Amino acid sequence: MIVNIQARGTSPSLTKFSEALRSSLRVDAEGAEVLPEWLRQEFTVESTPAEKAEWLNKWRMESSEGQARMEREKGWEMSNWLYWISGENGFWEMKDIVQGDGESLVLVLEVVDWPVPVSALSWLAEKTGVVMEVPAF
């Protein structure tokens, strides 16, 4: 199924969002150095396996609200974020990024089912000052 997500913002913020997203889709072929430097600085430091296990154990004991808080506070590690953006996640794949008018983009996703977890896209939108309009089905 194809789902279109609208991204709205100023021309500079949409350009920043689009360039970061397009570069992230090239990482598998060209390496992480294609990502803009500002984006690489936004990621949290990669955790060790022991740190990941400890965090996950704490997360499992939290309420839904506590889990959401922990996720926000932890931020995104580059490898995890790229996993979701790349399409390897099995839930969705970026098919196209279509320039709309000067203040919008359309992200064309091929999805297995809806809704799908698009928090990696939402995080990038937040970091670039873009507002995503995710459809409700």
Side-chain angles (χ1 to χ4, degrees):
M1 164 176 28
I2 299 294
V3 173
N4 293 332
I5 296 178
Q6 292 283 329
R8 299 193 182 280
T10 64
S11 182
S13 62
L14 285 171
T15 297
K16 189 174 184 180
F17 177 84
S18 176
E19 287 175 354
L21 188 53
R22 289 178 195 279
S23 68
S24 69
L25 297 173
R26 299 187 348 248
V27 167
D28 279 348
E30 300 175 42
E33 51 278 344
V34 300
L35 294 174
E37 180 61 30
W38 71 264
L39 180 57
R40 286 185 270 156
Q41 297 300 316
E42 292 292 335
F43 295 115
T44 61
V45 176
E46 295 281 333
S47 302
T48 66
E51 291 169 334
K52 288 177 183 181
E54 181 181 342
W55 185 89
L56 185 57
N57 285 336
K58 289 178 183 175
W59 180 85
R60 286 181 175 144
M61 296 180 355
E62 287 287 338
S63 65
S64 296
E65 295 82 18
Q67 289 174 346
R69 177 189 45 75
M70 284 181 68
E71 291 167 7
R72 275 191 314 276
E73 289 172 356
K74 185 174 189 314
W76 283 91
E77 294 177 0
M78 184 187 301
S79 61
N80 193 24
W81 187 79
L82 288 170
Y83 166 80
W84 283 98
I85 294 297
S86 71
E88 293 176 21
N89 62 70
F91 291 102
W92 58 270
E93 182 179 355
M94 182 71 57
K95 286 302 191 184
D96 202 1
I97 303 167
V98 181
Q99 182 67 48
D101 59 23
E103 297 180 350
S104 71
L105 294 171
V106 177
L107 309 177
V108 181
L109 305 182
E110 184 171 341
V111 302
V112 174
D113 197 5
W114 192 259
V116 296
V118 292
S119 58
L121 290 171
S122 298
W123 177 83
L124 181 60
E126 177 186 316
K127 296 296 179 187
T128 57
V130 168
V131 175
M132 283 189 5
E133 298 172 10
V134 180
F137 287 90

